Amino acid sequence: MAFVTDKAELKPGLILFRRGDVDHRMWYCRMKMPKADRYKTVSLKTTDISTARERAFDQDADVRFRIKHDVPVFNRPFREVAREYLLTQEARAKRGEISAARPKKLRAVIEGTLDRYAGSTQVHLIGDERWGSYPAWRRENGAGRHKRNGVRDVTADVAQSFADHESARRTKVQQTLGIRVLKPFAVKPQDVHAVPFISDSTIRFEMSIFGAIMNYAVKKRYVPASQRFDERPKLKTMRRDEFTLEEYRKLHTVGRKWIGEADKPSSVWYRTVTYNLILIACNTGMRPAEMKNLRWRDIMPAKDREGREIIVLFVQGKGKSRKLVAPKSVGDYLERIRTISKATESDDRVFTNVTGKPAKTLYSSLTADLLKESNLREGTQGVPRSTYCFRHTYATLRLQEGVDVYFLAEQMGTSVHMIESHYGHVNTIKHADSVLQGMAGWELAQTDDAKAKASKAAESHDKSKRGQRHKPR
């Protein structure tokens, strides 16, 4: 190193020196790591040679103690470790081990909220208190999307800062998509300075990434194993917003009329595909990601044990794949799309745009338009419905028809626990007659056989009573 001056070797692997590229005359020491081609340089913060020698030997002893007791030798800011972790996840995505979208989500959280919270903090200084304080900090310094999570009042300055952040976010999204942005998006703060709290699910997701970075630091021996954090705040269980059978039928009716009102050929095309996508989603339970990945080669006609025609779909999403079965009507909906599509080869995606390129958003704006047209945009919790609600509709309708929860979990590619956690209300409604049995003003419905038996028993009871009255004493 050209800037090293007054170099002196105190012992093999321990060097004392000054720097020629700085104005001061402080001493430094450089130590070679045992059994590794690495060095650690430390400022001794003294100009006295005798004091510098003593401190250099102290630093060398400290490094050896750390190595012996498995304590990290090098200090790193959380920001640097997080970037290292992100690179490993991007490499996994290239190998196909995780989805290509996963690193994008990680980057948004790592370079956003986590960087603001702990970016400059040395990773070895992040302990239980720092970890446990994240939910409170996030709720205080973030703005959610839905008022169902509660609201809090903020000052005009804070409201403006949220608006500026949203403006920067929208601008960055446009630039990421390759769209030229001449000036940043203008986002005005709300007149009423009351913002929704960040939801528990968002905080849990961000803390899962926070924890994964700390686990990576443990694996790389940047921090001891005691800095592995797994506990996260408990998530409020929110009911999934599905469509009732009546609402589903309404979508059918309004959807056909909606297609007929289109004024351009391209609008007719998009509305037709959107309408059939909704029917397919409600009759298969596919996730949006699985529908995006669906190709024509993944669709296979088959017959069940009774010889009835069915459709078998090979779906892929969330890093997993499975086969699901659907009624023949789903094959009819798919055929409607194939008839008007410009991408019909076996390797082509089913859901594309009008030119035949894969659809990126699954027609989300068109879906929102149809739901508005049907007066079904908002669910029972006052939250706008999304494409995911069609999957919840499928689960709810199947449970109402008595499908076994184990078979349904297999069909939907989820766990029995998840089905029971989010759709337990279906069984309560389905078995209302048993739940309400014996309550005032409620009579249990009886079958014809049960009614006949009850009538016969009452008649026999009356005859026995009349016999007892005429019996001689």
Side-chain angles (χ1 to χ4, degrees):
M1 294 181 289
F3 60 82
V4 172
T5 63
D6 302 331
K7 181 179 177 182
E9 185 177 37
L10 303 183
K11 71 170 194 174
L14 179 61
I15 295 174
L16 194 67
F17 67 95
R18 285 192 175 112
R19 297 181 58 140
D21 59 343
V22 294
D23 295 333
H24 59 74
R25 300 291 292 165
M26 298 290 183
W27 287 97
Y28 293 81
C29 72
R30 189 180 69 180
M31 299 156 283
K32 185 178 185 305
M33 298 296 101
K35 300 179 181 180
D37 189 22
R38 298 186 68 187
Y39 297 85
K40 181 176 183 178
T41 300
V42 178
S43 172
L44 301 174
K45 301 186 184 303
T46 182
T47 57
D48 181 68
I49 183 65
S50 299
T51 304
R53 290 171 63 89
E54 291 179 8
R55 291 181 180 178
F57 281 111
D58 289 342
Q59 288 290 337
D60 183 67
D62 179 66
V63 166
R64 294 179 182 280
F65 175 86
R66 287 172 175 265
I67 292 174
K68 181 178 179 180
H69 295 279
D70 198 26
V71 177
V73 175
F74 296 94
N75 295 334
R76 295 170 181 266
F78 178 84
R79 180 181 295 116
E80 181 180 324
V81 178
R83 286 174 181 167
E84 280 186 31
Y85 170 76
L86 182 59
L87 289 175
T88 65
Q89 299 307 298
E90 289 175 343
R92 289 185 64 198
K94 289 181 180 178
R95 295 194 298 268
E97 297 176 6
I98 58 176
S99 68
R102 179 69 178 176
K104 296 178 182 178
K105 294 180 180 178
L106 295 176
R107 181 180 293 278
V109 175
I110 288 172
E111 295 181 352
T113 55
L114 292 185
D115 189 74
R116 296 203 307 272
Y117 182 67
S120 60
T121 304
Q122 296 295 313
V123 70
H124 70 285
L125 297 178
I126 296 177
D128 291 331
E129 183 178 356
R130 188 75 167 170
W131 167 262
S133 299
Y134 183 78
W137 176 88
R138 187 71 175 97
R139 292 188 183 101
E140 187 64 28
N141 293 274
R145 292 180 296 171
H146 305 306
K147 292 183 179 180
R148 69 182 182 189
N149 301 313
V151 297
R152 76 179 195 279
D153 294 327
V154 297
T155 63
D157 291 339
V158 173
Q160 183 62 54
S161 70
F162 286 144
D164 294 341
H165 177 73
E166 179 63 16
S167 172
R169 187 191 69 81
R170 294 185 186 182
T171 303
K172 186 176 180 180
V173 168
Q174 294 294 310
Q175 292 171 341
T176 303
L177 294 174
I179 300 173
R180 186 181 178 187
V181 181
L182 298 178
K183 61 180 181 179
F185 279 87
V187 178
K188 295 181 179 180
Q190 296 181 0
D191 295 333
V192 180
H193 301 147
V195 297
F197 282 110
I198 295 289
S199 69
D200 283 359
S201 58
T202 298
I203 294 174
R204 278 179 61 83
F205 174 68
E206 293 171 355
M207 291 189 78
S208 70
I209 300 173
F210 194 175
I213 294 169
M214 295 304 297
N215 291 344
Y216 174 79
V218 171
K219 181 180 178 181
K220 298 292 288 186
R221 300 177 70 178
Y222 298 153
V223 296
S226 61
Q227 286 179 261
R228 177 186 179 96
F229 305 111
D230 294 316
E231 284 192 22
R232 296 167 204 159
K234 291 184 178 180
L235 175 64
K236 299 175 188 173
T237 301
M238 301 298 295
R239 258 195 58 188
R240 304 293 177 134
D241 234 343
E242 72 281 349
F243 295 91
T244 65
L245 185 57
E246 291 73 19
E247 289 175 330
Y248 173 65
R249 288 169 177 164
K250 187 177 182 181
L251 273 176
H252 254 300
T253 304
V254 177
R256 289 192 294 267
K257 180 182 176 184
W258 180 62
I259 294 172
E261 292 173 347
D263 56 357
K264 295 187 297 184
S266 61
S267 297
V268 174
W269 190 95
Y270 276 111
R271 291 188 180 191
T272 300
V273 175
T274 301
Y275 169 69
N276 284 283
L277 175 143
I278 292 173
L279 300 182
I280 292 167
C282 288
N283 285 275
T284 62
M286 279 193 287
R287 297 180 176 91
E290 293 168 344
M291 288 190 284
K292 282 184 183 179
N293 295 332
L294 188 67
R295 301 175 187 268
W296 292 114
R297 69 183 181 207
D298 300 327
I299 304 165
M300 298 156 282
K303 291 186 178 181
D304 66 4
R305 289 183 298 183
E306 303 296 328
R308 292 168 296 198
E309 293 184 3
I310 60 173
I311 298 295
V312 179
L313 304 175
F314 176 73
V315 298
Q316 303 175 76
K318 293 188 71 174
K320 301 177 183 178
S321 61
R322 72 183 189 284
K323 288 183 178 179
L324 61 83
V325 295
K328 182 180 178 298
S329 59
V330 170
D332 298 334
Y333 305 146
L334 289 163
E335 193 56 37
R336 293 177 192 170
I337 295 174
R338 186 196 287 266
T339 301
I340 63 174
S341 177
K342 290 187 177 180
T344 58
E345 298 297 325
S346 61
D347 285 342
D348 290 336
R349 302 288 175 90
V350 173
F351 298 105
T352 65
N353 60 23
V354 72
T355 64
K357 294 182 179 180
K360 293 183 178 180
T361 64
L362 279 185
Y363 328 110
S364 57
S365 61
L366 287 158
T367 301
D369 289 344
L370 176 54
L371 293 179
K372 287 179 182 176
E373 187 75 16
S374 309
N375 291 322
L376 298 173
R377 182 71 172 109
E378 290 191 353
T380 55
Q381 301 179 67
V383 179
R385 283 164 162 155
S386 66
T387 308
Y388 221 96
C389 291
F390 304 130
R391 174 174 165 86
H392 307 325
T393 300
Y394 173 82
T396 301
L397 296 180
R398 292 298 82 219
L399 288 170
Q400 287 176 349
E401 291 296 328
V403 174
D404 184 271
V405 67
Y406 173 79
F407 293 128
L408 185 61
E410 287 288 309
Q411 167 86 349
M412 297 184 67
T414 187
S415 65
V416 172
H417 174 71
M418 184 65 71
I419 296 287
E420 292 175 340
S421 297
H422 292 287
Y423 304 103
H425 66 284
V426 176
N427 281 332
T428 302
I429 297 170
K430 181 181 174 184
H431 299 293
D433 55 346
S434 299
V435 174
L436 301 177
Q437 184 176 358
M439 293 186 68
W442 175 262
E443 293 181 359
L444 185 63
Q446 293 181 318
T447 62
D448 292 340
D449 289 343
K451 290 178 180 178
K453 289 179 181 179
S455 178
K456 187 175 181 180
E459 185 180 349
S460 300
H461 181 70
D462 290 342
K463 286 181 179 179
S464 65
K465 286 288 186 181
R466 287 197 297 269
Q468 286 179 0
R469 284 198 298 269
H470 292 94
K471 188 176 180 180
R473 295 185 179 179

